[in-house]
Amino acid sequence: MIFGGCPKRQTGPLIVYVPTPPPAATPSQSDQSIVVQAPAPPAPIEAKQDSAPEAPPEPVPSKPARPKPTDAKARPDEAPAAEVPALQSAISSGQATALQGQVARLQQGIEKRILVLSREWLSPSQRGMLEDARGFLQQSQRALQESDFQRAYNLAHKAELLVASLEQPR
């Protein structure tokens, strides 16, 4: 330890770059030594004298300028925006009914599992996961009330995955 210094403050080898020294003399052929020099930096490109000097390019603004807010009323010279049609469900009514029942059963099962887990001792991070699962379940219930069955299923599935990870043996 006397020669090594502090054991916590060990440093690796230090690399220092120095420029190559100028050659002392041109080697003769009888010397039979090889001189290796670093390549010279590239010469700057000079402009052609035939052409006129080019103007520097104009800077491009980083953000496009936003129009300033005006009255909420449309201007008379502008046409009113076309109305966007509502998205229609890609599933039939029979599939929607089946999905609704599946989501309701999934939600009920998750509620029971969350109730059991809430009575167990959980670490703070596990408690956070349980709260996230409750949040997904509540969002799923709201989506089911709004007849958004696919979203309700996806949210319930997320809650189920969180609950399943908490139920795994520690």
Side-chain angles (χ1 to χ4, degrees):
M1 259 183 37
I2 295 172
F3 296 106
C6 180
K8 291 183 181 178
R9 190 156 184 180
Q10 297 293 324
T11 59
L14 182 62
I15 299 174
V16 178
Y17 293 98
V18 294
T20 57
T26 309
S28 63
Q29 290 179 346
S30 64
D31 195 5
Q32 292 187 357
S33 61
I34 300 174
V35 176
V36 178
Q37 294 181 348
I45 300 174
E46 296 181 18
K48 296 180 186 177
Q49 293 183 4
D50 298 346
S51 63
E54 294 181 17
E58 292 192 24
V60 178
S62 61
K63 292 183 181 179
R66 287 187 177 180
K68 293 184 179 180
T70 58
D71 269 352
K73 300 175 185 176
R75 294 182 186 167
D77 58 333
E78 293 180 359
E83 205 171 301
V84 179
L87 295 176
Q88 295 179 354
S89 177
I91 57 176
S92 68
S93 62
Q95 291 173 328
T97 305
L99 187 57
Q100 181 181 10
Q102 182 182 3
V103 169
R105 286 189 299 277
L106 184 61
Q107 288 175 347
Q108 289 172 354
I110 293 169
E111 281 183 43
K112 291 177 185 176
R113 292 163 63 189
I114 286 177
L115 185 62
V116 170
L117 283 171
S118 65
R119 294 180 183 150
E120 292 183 14
W121 183 89
L122 298 173
S123 68
S125 64
Q126 290 172 327
R127 286 276 172 205
M129 287 176 61
L130 188 63
E131 291 305 313
D132 289 344
R134 278 191 181 121
F136 285 136
L137 183 62
Q138 289 171 352
Q139 291 176 20
S140 174
Q141 291 166 341
R142 279 192 298 262
L144 191 61
Q145 290 171 352
E146 295 168 359
S147 299
D148 191 352
F149 305 123
Q150 190 62 47
R151 185 169 151 254
Y153 175 78
N154 288 339
L155 289 165
H157 184 68
K158 287 180 181 184
E160 181 185 31
L161 291 174
L162 285 173
V163 169
S165 69
L166 289 172
E167 291 174 335
Q168 291 178 352
R170 294 168 190 93

